[in-house]
Amino acid sequence: MTSLPKDTPRKLGLVIDLDTCVGCQACVIACKGWNTENYGAPLSDQDPYGADPSGTFLNRVHGYEITPDQGAAQLVHFPKSCLHCEDAPCVTVCPTGASYKRAEDGIVLVNETDCIGCGLCAWACPYGAREMDQTAGVMKKCTLCIDRIYNENLPEQDREPACVRTCPAGARHFGDLADPDSAVSQLVAERGGFDLMPEMGTKPVNKYLPPRPKDRLEETDILAPFLDPVADSPQGFLGWLDRALDRL
Amino acid sequence: MHPAPSVILFTTLSGLGFGLLIFLGLGFPPVTGWVAFVFFLIAYALSVGGLLASTFHLGHPERALKAFSQWRTSWLSREAWAAVAALVTMGLYALGAVFFGTHLVPLGWIGAALSLATIFTTSMIYTQLGSVPRWNQLLTPLHFLSAALAGGALLAGQLLVAAILLLVALMIQLGHWSVGDKRFAEAGHTIATATGLSGGQVRAFSPPHTGSNYLLREMVHVVGRKHARKLRILAALLGYGLPLVLVLVPGAGHLLGGLAILAHVVGMAASRWLFFAEAEHVVGLYYGKRG
Ligand code: SF4
Ligand code: SF4
Ligand code: SF4
């Protein structure tokens, strides 16, 4: 059903730390691997080894540069997957009911056997979180690894999303953002977690933690300021020597 | 947005078809028998042809019936209902006119209203998208409705009405362009709000992949926009200006009328191409492209 639930008791989602993400793309590959080998249509590639490769991904890592008025520019690695919005425009536009938001935990999913592949939900998502699989002709999106987080066949420590489990920098956190005492909610409160494109009114569940200000390399040698730099074009005896040596 | 030929064809042709059905339903012209048959044939060819063209871009056309289920929330689902209801109602009305020489007036009115509703629901599919600020404005439904009514009047041979509607539709078209040009900036979406990054100038530095992807192909269409100005002039002249002049020629017969329709269709196709090609999706911000 494409009506949105009024409120969900749990809001499962991710908290992504832009300060610690190193841009290694491990989450991209873990996500592609898990979601190709498990639930739903595999994430296909077109012309993967040819001149114009492209493919379906549920999680992609962008890179942005912040140039302050003064000082050096800073690079930020920026992973982006579905934000499991509370007011998800992608769900309400769906004509078939294939897209839905789970009432119990807020996860936004696509029922692939109902999807006609009209693509309207991908148009409606402001974040580019949905991709139509070119081989299967159905809409793919992040499932929050629903087939891991509730999967009793997996060892306890693996019952979290593949991208979270694999991240070597610990930049991705999974949890319940409706519970103010959860580790993710605490992290958001502590670090000033924010929404992407808040003016869109989609109320994303996923939050982003801002990069911390970088340290500056200070002058370390207290005597350094007293040393004159070597003259670029030597004068006097040194100048004569320089020219003489040039002529040799 | 990517201007897919199937969607341009669909919105142009089905708009015309349902526009003609509105006039036929209202009894303009009050045709019966063979003449009615030809009129209804044209109307159905356009509207059904347009609808069929739109199913070409579905990933799973065989599941199309499922699209009727979500009318409570989805404009696309509502469009499916409105289109079928309009076609069935007008089909019954056409039977009466063609084979029995009678006009079931109330049925015609209901059919006309449903045809109008179909055009409206089509326009709302685009208007509702906050992610495409250019479409997300009041003039989008007005543009679809006025263009379809003007085209319908042309096809129905209602010359004076057509002249007035063409003028109104032209004004709305110009308004839609000029309001649309400012919508993205007004809505306030920037790379800074998209990424939430602050502390300086934010620039997309490295894309997440070396090749292209579905998002870029579908939503970040940037080629061909440099001709937008010329195409706008072409769309305004052919779609509205020339037909307006042609229908006002005293004693305009079938030849001039046919020319007016031809010009209108070509102009509207150009207008719809621009409707998609000029529409920038906010996801372009993440890729350092407004597109
Ligand atoms: S991020 Fe996009 S796909 Fe995910 S819930 Fe929000 S609008 Fe829907
Ligand atoms: S592509 Fe599938 S999930 Fe998306 S709106 Fe269309 S039918 Fe619904
Ligand atoms: S939660 Fe699962 S599906 Fe979603 S981005 Fe992470 S790995 Fe991919």
Side-chain angles (χ1 to χ4, degrees):
Chain A
M1 205 43 175
T2 54
S3 318
L4 290 166
K6 283 230 158 44
D7 199 19
T8 56
R10 304 211 296 153
K11 299 186 202 321
L12 296 186
L14 301 177
V15 172
I16 294 171
D17 191 342
L18 297 178
D19 192 60
T20 38
C21 173
V22 293
C24 68
Q25 313 274 337
C27 57
V28 177
I29 302 307
C31 172
K32 178 115 176 171
W34 179 262
N35 289 288
T36 290
E37 291 147 15
N38 294 282
Y39 161 80
L43 303 174
S44 70
D45 289 318
Q46 281 70 43
D47 196 19
Y49 304 107
D52 188 21
S54 84
T56 313
F57 288 82
L58 310 183
N59 174 39
R60 294 179 185 266
V61 180
H62 294 250
Y64 298 101
E65 179 194 61
I66 311 174
T67 314
D69 289 341
Q70 260 164 17
Q74 185 180 352
L75 277 184
V76 179
H77 304 291
F78 195 100
K80 186 162 58 61
S81 49
C82 171
L83 311 168
H84 298 277
C85 304
E86 282 180 52
D87 209 341
C90 56
V91 169
T92 47
V93 297
C94 176
T96 62
S99 277
Y100 63 105
K101 184 170 175 72
R102 280 160 55 102
E104 58 270 43
D105 52 19
I107 299 179
V108 175
L109 290 176
V110 175
N111 176 352
E112 291 176 6
T113 53
D114 277 352
C115 174
I116 55 173
C118 65
L120 192 55
C121 55
W123 287 14
C125 171
Y127 307 104
R130 290 177 168 241
E131 299 189 17
M132 178 101 76
D133 190 82
Q134 301 300 299
T135 303
V138 293
M139 196 51 73
K140 301 296 294 185
K141 70 175 291 301
C142 159
T143 63
L144 210 62
C145 285
I146 194 150
D147 49 350
R148 288 176 67 93
I149 57 178
Y150 294 119
N151 192 339
E152 310 225 314
N153 296 323
L154 294 178
E156 181 96 38
Q157 72 267 28
D158 283 336
R159 287 180 216 157
E160 59 178 13
C163 55
V164 175
R165 185 81 179 95
T166 207
C167 178
R172 300 177 76 103
H173 307 268
F174 163 73
D176 180 8
L177 287 134
D179 172 9
D181 298 326
S182 68
V184 280
S185 296
Q186 302 273 317
L187 203 53
V188 170
E190 239 165 68
R191 296 273 309 279
F194 58 84
D195 289 347
L196 303 188
M197 248 188 261
E199 74 278 11
M200 210 37 106
T202 47
K203 294 196 263 162
V205 167
N206 284 14
K207 301 282 182 255
Y208 282 77
L209 306 179
R212 295 181 174 96
K214 289 282 177 262
D215 295 343
R216 286 271 173 75
L217 193 62
E218 301 295 347
E219 206 73 72
T220 45
D221 186 346
I222 46 163
L223 290 178
F226 301 107
L227 293 172
D228 277 334
V230 180
D232 281 342
S233 45
Q235 305 287 320
F237 172 71
L238 280 178
W240 171 83
L241 193 64
D242 187 48
R243 287 192 296 276
L245 286 171
D246 271 349
R247 257 182 257 119
L248 278 177
Chain B
M1 305 296 288
H2 171 63
S6 63
V7 186
I8 293 171
L9 256 157
F10 157 61
T11 61
T12 312
L13 297 187
S14 73
L16 267 178
F18 284 107
L20 177 56
L21 283 178
I22 293 173
F23 282 92
L24 292 175
L26 296 179
F28 301 107
V31 283
T32 52
W34 273 109
V35 188
F37 180 76
V38 174
F39 266 110
F40 279 106
L41 187 71
I42 295 173
Y44 273 85
L46 289 170
S47 49
V48 177
L51 288 174
L52 283 180
S54 76
T55 58
F56 286 147
H57 73 273
L58 294 183
H60 281 276
E62 78 282 3
R63 299 179 189 157
L65 279 184
K66 289 183 194 280
F68 287 91
S69 67
Q70 302 302 312
W71 51 271
R72 281 192 206 84
T73 46
S74 163
W75 282 105
L76 183 50
S77 190
R78 287 172 198 159
E79 182 201 37
W81 275 107
V84 169
L87 290 174
V88 170
T89 313
M90 287 307 290
L92 293 176
Y93 178 78
L95 279 184
V98 173
F99 296 107
F100 304 102
T102 59
H103 287 122
L104 305 162
V105 177
L107 203 64
W109 281 71
I110 296 172
L114 287 169
S115 304
L116 198 70
T118 307
I119 301 161
F120 178 69
T121 51
T122 305
S123 72
M124 284 310 289
I125 295 172
Y126 304 106
T127 310
Q128 67 177 340
L129 297 175
S131 52
V132 186
R134 180 183 286 278
W135 293 346
N136 191 227
Q137 54 154 312
L138 187 71
L139 287 177
T140 303
L142 291 182
H143 160 63
F144 273 71
L145 287 169
S146 62
L149 283 171
L154 265 184
L155 282 175
Q158 307 300 306
L159 298 189
L160 189 63
V161 182
I164 297 167
L165 285 171
L166 280 167
L167 195 64
V168 173
L170 175 62
M171 293 298 147
I172 294 176
Q173 172 78 82
L174 296 178
H176 190 263
W177 281 332
S178 86
V179 173
D181 288 346
K182 293 175 230 116
R183 276 292 295 144
F184 203 113
E186 272 170 16
H189 312 301
T190 62
I191 192 166
T193 71
T195 61
L197 295 172
S198 55
Q201 201 71 34
V202 183
R203 179 169 78 95
F205 184 78
S206 53
H209 37 79
T210 49
S212 188
N213 69 8
Y214 168 75
L215 300 167
L216 289 170
R217 284 190 297 267
E218 185 76 7
M219 279 162 266
V220 192
H221 176 84
V222 281
V223 284
R225 255 196 231 140
K226 62 174 191 280
H227 296 303
R229 235 198 143 65
K230 281 183 213 150
L231 269 170
R232 277 188 185 184
I233 296 171
L234 200 78
L237 287 181
L238 286 180
Y240 308 93
L242 188 61
L244 181 61
V245 173
L246 287 176
V247 295
L248 286 181
V249 172
H254 272 102
L255 185 67
L256 286 191
L259 256 177
I261 291 167
L262 201 69
H264 177 71
V265 172
V266 174
M268 281 318 295
S271 157
R272 287 295 147 81
W273 190 88
L274 285 166
F275 182 78
F276 290 96
E278 286 194 296
E280 294 173 277
H281 194 288
V282 292
V283 75
L285 292 170
Y286 289 103
Y287 287 87
K289 297 176 179 125
R290 285 236 335 237

